[in-house]
Amino acid sequence: MAESALYVEIFRLSLLNCQTFLVLCLAFLLSFLFLRRPRNLPPYPAGWWPVFGHLFSLGRAPHLKFTEWRRQYGDVFTVRFGLNDVVVLNGYTVVKDALVSRSELFASRPPSYVFDIITGVGKEYRGKPFDVEEEIRTTIANVICSMIFGNRFDYGDEKFRELAEAMIVTLVSITSGQLISIFPFLRFVPYVNKACNDAVKYNEKILKFIREEISRHRRDLDRENPRDFLDFCLIEVDRHDKVDNLTEENVMHVVQELLFGGIDTTTNTLRWGLMYMILYPDVQKKVQLEIDAVVGGTLPTLSHRSQLPYTEATVMEVQRLRFVVPLGLPHATTQQVKVAGFDIPAGTQVLMNLHSLHVDPVYWPDPDRFDPGRFLDTDGRVNSKLDSFMPFSGGRRVCPGEQLGKMELFLLFSSLLQHFTFKLPEGAPPLSTEGTLAITLMPHALLLLGDLTKKEVASDDGETGLASGKRVRPERAINAAPLAVYAMAEVDGINPVVYGKLLRTMETINSKMLNLTRTLEEQTKAKGEHGVSDYTLLTKVLDRLCLVLYVISVGVSVSMTLYLGK
Ligand code: HEM
């Protein structure tokens, strides 16, 4: 009887050894499968960690880090986002080759947990400082909303305010939630999953707004007289002939993409433009003189564009130096492809560091200097075909709103400068040109101290101000002060906060594991006191041996990871 109990014990312990052994094999297999590096992949920059990859090295402005690494590792390198390899392309030659010359090979988009669940695939200013962002955002949104929905929002409209807030929070949360796209299991971890949950919550508000518009359009749709983009889409959905499988759901996401793609980019470019006018008053003056000479008292129109080369060059210089989508949108390879002698497997995520094109000293001498003259040829005409300048990306995935974006930027920038002079108030702290990256690069908030609504007596008929089209600029100086507390910076806090939380969670898990190990050890000790025979001793030794093997295999796995990463 005692003998059979002994066999059971031996069997149990050796089962434990077998399990440990199997776990080891599995760990080896998994680390081999997941950590194996495809052959001839572009090099990894130094400073990556097993499991986390380069996440800790990127900082808050990855496009700057990538541009720095470019100097060290060349135009093509690979960064690890968690366990995924992401190839980063830098510089005009390589990026243009990928985006334009071999566009179809890079035309895909990589899967991204957070992004994918999101996309499914009269205010009184007088005397009060205000942030011009809301006005610019509403104006730009109204252009797109008029095209899509056939209606516009009043300034200060509550519904619009909610929509705009939802769009900003969604964009910021998608950026913060990238950690969850890299480690999707983290969506179950409280606190760490907040960004992802916020993205879903606020995005739902946007989708609700679009759904309501679709229902409104459905109710009074006149097939013979489509009024706007949405009417056209709904007619197309019903016809089923031109566009296969187009459903209302698809239309909703197309509209969502247009809103996301069109509002934030143009708004932030214009905000950077105003900030650079404050920083470079001589450029501001030159733009205003050009507008005064050509446009006179009327509002600038698109027909003035070719006659306002310096103004247009200034907008382009803003787009070069403070490019609002520095890493574009992520691409993915459609098949295995060779770049600069390296092999990139099919389906690999590829980031185009468009920022690197815009600050490449080979194309832009003294790249950090703000100088609109770079975009003018010797005859003073705009040279729009300059190499190494791709603010709207290129190739198959070129921004579909490029022409609209350019028109909006020109009209709004020239109208604002025609009427106002932007400058810092006396004694204000210097402006920061750093910005915050949340898919788009946003400038920190600016408070305008002035009055945009007050009419100025500037002519005999008493008509003045923006609406009347009379110039009021000389009397209408607008001071801008940097906000002491930046709203976006508060919402953002991407890296330190999320990483901090993640680390704390890991610490908790670690200490729980330690406690568990201790308890197990104590139990084993207690059992050991009853140790009955040599067999039990032998199996215990084997167990210890497994533990040693386990430690060795972890060591080997780590060094293997490091070796494969080289
Ligand atoms: C200053 C203004 C703008 C800039 C700098 C800009 C820039 C960009 C860039 C760099 C991309 C990524 C292209 C790629 O994946 O390689 C993009 C995509 C996109 N843009 Fe724009 N854009 C602007 C205005 C607009 C406007 C006004 C609209 C809509 C009316 C728009 C709609 C889109 C859409 C829908 C995409 C995604 C296209 C796709 O997935 O293939 N953009 N934009």
Side-chain angles (χ1 to χ4, degrees):
M1 197 60 199
E3 206 171 312
S4 67
L6 177 67
Y7 284 139
V8 168
E9 192 177 351
I10 291 170
F11 179 72
R12 242 194 2 233
L13 284 168
S14 40
L15 202 68
L16 201 70
N17 292 333
C18 288
Q19 280 169 351
T20 319
F21 184 70
L22 280 178
V23 168
L24 285 186
C25 292
L26 203 71
F28 258 125
L29 201 71
L30 287 178
S31 54
F32 183 73
L33 283 178
F34 286 112
L35 305 176
R36 191 174 45 139
R37 188 172 189 271
R39 287 175 63 195
N40 197 27
L41 200 68
Y44 291 131
W48 69 279
W49 291 69
V51 182
F52 295 103
H54 288 94
L55 289 181
F56 298 118
S57 311
L58 295 180
R60 282 164 158 261
H63 58 293
L64 298 183
K65 193 73 202 171
F66 291 162
T67 309
E68 188 189 316
W69 278 341
R70 179 192 179 197
R71 287 190 277 274
Q72 221 176 325
Y73 299 95
D75 285 346
V76 187
F77 50 80
T78 311
V79 289
R80 278 190 84 87
F81 285 180
L83 299 176
N84 299 325
D85 286 321
V86 176
V87 172
V88 182
L89 305 187
N90 298 269
Y92 182 59
T93 316
V94 178
V95 170
K96 189 186 164 224
D97 170 57
L99 279 179
V100 183
S101 311
R102 292 187 291 162
S103 197
E104 69 287 354
L105 300 182
F106 292 87
S108 188
R109 297 268 188 229
S112 159
Y113 181 79
V114 180
F115 213 76
D116 292 352
I117 52 170
I118 295 302
T119 55
V121 64
K123 183 177 166 182
E124 183 62 46
Y125 303 129
R126 217 152 297 184
K128 269 191 266 161
F130 61 97
D131 187 355
V132 77
E133 179 189 356
E134 198 184 318
E135 278 56 43
I136 296 181
R137 196 173 284 279
T138 314
T139 310
I140 287 164
N142 274 339
V143 174
I144 294 180
C145 289
S146 307
M147 289 167 64
I148 301 178
F149 307 123
N151 62 2
R152 59 179 301 286
F153 297 99
D154 276 340
Y155 293 86
D157 182 294
E158 203 43 49
K159 199 167 178 188
F160 178 72
R161 203 192 290 266
E162 271 176 32
L163 184 70
E165 189 207 351
M167 289 183 67
I168 296 173
V169 179
T170 308
L171 280 180
V172 172
S173 306
I174 289 177
T175 313
S176 317
Q178 281 312 303
L179 202 65
I180 291 188
S181 293
I182 296 167
F183 302 114
F185 68 90
L186 286 178
R187 66 183 185 275
F188 302 113
V189 181
Y191 298 113
V192 178
N193 61 12
K194 184 176 180 305
C196 180
N197 293 345
D198 280 353
V200 175
K201 188 172 109 193
Y202 283 90
N203 182 57
E204 193 42 50
K205 293 187 184 186
I206 301 164
L207 295 183
K208 183 169 168 266
F209 171 82
I210 303 174
R211 274 191 217 107
E212 281 170 12
E213 282 294 334
I214 292 181
S215 310
R216 185 173 72 83
H217 278 68
R218 267 258 171 254
R219 274 199 300 276
D220 41 20
L221 182 66
D222 177 355
R223 268 160 234 288
E224 302 310 315
N225 297 301
R227 297 154 296 183
D228 47 47
F229 179 77
L230 205 49
D231 271 0
F232 275 108
C233 287
L234 292 178
I235 292 171
E236 220 48 66
V237 168
D238 295 344
R239 284 201 346 210
H240 293 292
D241 56 351
K242 257 200 206 147
V243 191
D244 284 345
N245 300 324
L246 185 71
T247 61
E248 274 188 16
E249 175 91 4
N250 302 141
V251 170
M252 181 179 72
H253 286 298
V254 168
V255 170
Q256 179 200 23
E257 252 194 72
L258 288 174
L259 292 179
F260 271 122
I263 300 178
D264 219 51
T265 43
T266 321
T267 303
N268 285 327
T269 306
L270 209 56
R271 292 173 68 209
W272 280 117
L274 297 187
M275 186 186 277
Y276 270 82
M277 290 306 93
I278 296 167
L279 290 168
Y280 292 85
D282 50 329
V283 174
Q284 176 165 210
K285 184 105 217 120
K286 219 167 153 182
V287 171
Q288 290 174 327
L289 287 176
E290 187 183 66
I291 296 171
D292 285 351
V294 174
V295 182
T298 59
L299 277 172
T301 62
L302 286 175
S303 63
H304 291 119
R305 204 155 136 192
S306 58
Q307 302 162 57
L308 296 173
Y310 192 76
T311 308
E312 202 173 353
T314 305
V315 175
M316 290 165 94
E317 180 66 345
V318 171
Q319 285 200 285
R320 181 190 71 82
L321 201 55
R322 281 296 169 268
F323 176 39
V324 288
V325 206
L327 295 176
L329 291 176
H331 284 237
T333 45
T334 51
Q335 51 182 271
Q336 162 128 358
V337 53
K338 234 182 185 22
V339 177
F342 297 107
D343 292 317
I344 306 177
T348 306
Q349 181 174 166
V350 181
L351 289 180
M352 312 286 173
N353 183 5
L354 296 171
H355 168 81
S356 72
L357 275 67
H358 294 185
V359 292
D360 192 334
V362 174
Y363 294 89
W364 309 104
D366 194 3
D368 295 331
R369 190 167 46 89
F370 182 78
D371 174 13
R374 301 172 192 274
F375 286 92
L376 298 175
D377 62 18
T378 42
D379 298 328
R381 281 193 300 258
V382 174
N383 192 346
S384 54
K385 298 235 159 27
L386 280 179
D387 287 344
S388 211
F389 181 60
M390 298 177 92
F392 296 92
S393 188
R396 286 200 176 196
R397 287 287 190 171
V398 67
C399 167
E402 174 171 0
Q403 295 312 326
L404 177 66
K406 281 181 177 169
M407 287 180 212
E408 287 180 295
L409 286 177
F410 170 77
L411 288 176
L412 289 168
F413 184 73
S414 52
S415 305
L416 281 169
L417 286 203
Q418 184 192 33
H419 289 85
F420 304 107
T421 299
F422 296 87
K423 56 187 182 188
L424 273 185
E426 293 266 313
L431 292 174
S432 158
T433 53
E434 213 178 76
T436 305
L437 189 63
I439 301 189
T440 52
L441 185 68
M442 304 186 247
H444 291 157
L446 272 179
L447 277 188
L448 293 198
L449 311 167
D451 178 6
L452 285 179
T453 55
K454 198 171 133 201
K455 287 194 171 184
E456 193 73 13
V457 182
S459 71
D460 297 342
D461 57 22
E463 268 199 303
T464 54
L466 263 177
S468 69
K470 291 285 187 296
R471 277 177 304 145
V472 289
R473 185 188 9 93
E475 303 83 43
R476 201 51 334 123
I478 298 293
N479 289 334
L483 265 182
V485 180
Y486 302 120
M488 288 328 296
E490 266 186 348
V491 185
D492 174 34
I494 305 162
N495 297 346
V497 174
V498 177
Y499 290 165
K501 279 177 185 165
L502 179 71
L503 286 179
R504 276 199 294 281
T505 316
M506 286 192 50
E507 273 168 24
T508 323
I509 295 172
N510 248 349
S511 67
K512 287 209 170 118
M513 288 291 278
L514 260 176
N515 286 345
L516 197 72
T517 320
R518 274 197 208 112
T519 323
L520 279 174
E521 267 176 15
E522 275 158 20
Q523 279 173 5
T524 319
K525 258 192 216 152
K527 269 192 183 164
E529 281 157 16
H530 301 288
V532 280
S533 71
D534 291 349
Y535 291 111
T536 318
L537 268 177
L538 185 69
T539 44
K540 269 191 187 164
V541 169
L542 279 177
D543 257 358
R544 290 278 180 277
L545 229 123
C546 274
L547 195 72
V548 173
L549 262 177
Y550 183 72
V551 172
I552 292 174
S553 69
V554 169
V556 172
S557 298
V558 170
S559 33
M560 195 167 81
T561 318
L562 291 171
Y563 172 75
L564 290 171
K566 289 258 183 282

